[in-house]
Amino acid sequence: PKFENIKLGQGWSGFYDYNLLDQNAILGRHPRVSNLLVCSGFSGHGLQQSPAVGLAMSELIQYGSYRTLDLSAFGIERILSNSPVFEKNIY
């Protein structure tokens, strides 16, 4: 009965980018579509990871490979082969 008087004060809605396989980003060149770069699936961590990912993707575009950080483990190939990357320090 007490919940009947509760009113919603404010709310927010928006697109939530989520990777169902392992909840990690999907980054890099698409292996089947030429000239397509993927940068998606951050599962709520995009704002935290955007500086490093932006640098890595700019290197991939400019040089054809990652130079500062090797983010190849997060490539789309792992999605296509059903090979998740799990974080070891998350419980």
Side-chain angles (χ1 to χ4, degrees):
K2 293 185 178 187
F3 287 111
E4 292 175 1
N5 295 326
I6 295 175
K7 303 292 182 208
L8 180 64
Q10 63 184 21
W12 178 89
S13 67
F15 180 72
Y16 190 83
D17 194 18
Y18 192 74
N19 168 4
L20 293 175
L21 179 66
D22 59 13
Q23 296 81 48
N24 284 307
I26 305 166
L27 306 170
R29 296 192 182 281
H30 194 286
R32 298 180 188 161
V33 181
S34 63
N35 205 27
L36 175 63
L37 294 167
V38 178
C39 189
S40 183
F42 289 92
S43 303
H45 297 103
L47 183 62
Q48 296 168 338
Q49 298 170 355
S50 63
V53 170
L55 174 62
M57 294 302 285
S58 69
E59 290 174 349
L60 187 60
I61 292 166
Q62 186 174 3
Y63 304 113
S65 64
Y66 299 119
R67 293 200 170 182
T68 306
L69 295 168
D70 183 7
L71 299 181
S72 58
F74 299 102
I76 195 169
E77 294 85 1
R78 79 178 198 286
I79 306 298
L80 299 175
S81 66
N82 196 30
S83 302
V85 171
F86 293 112
E87 296 181 52
K88 297 175 183 170
N89 296 319
I90 303 292
Y91 302 102

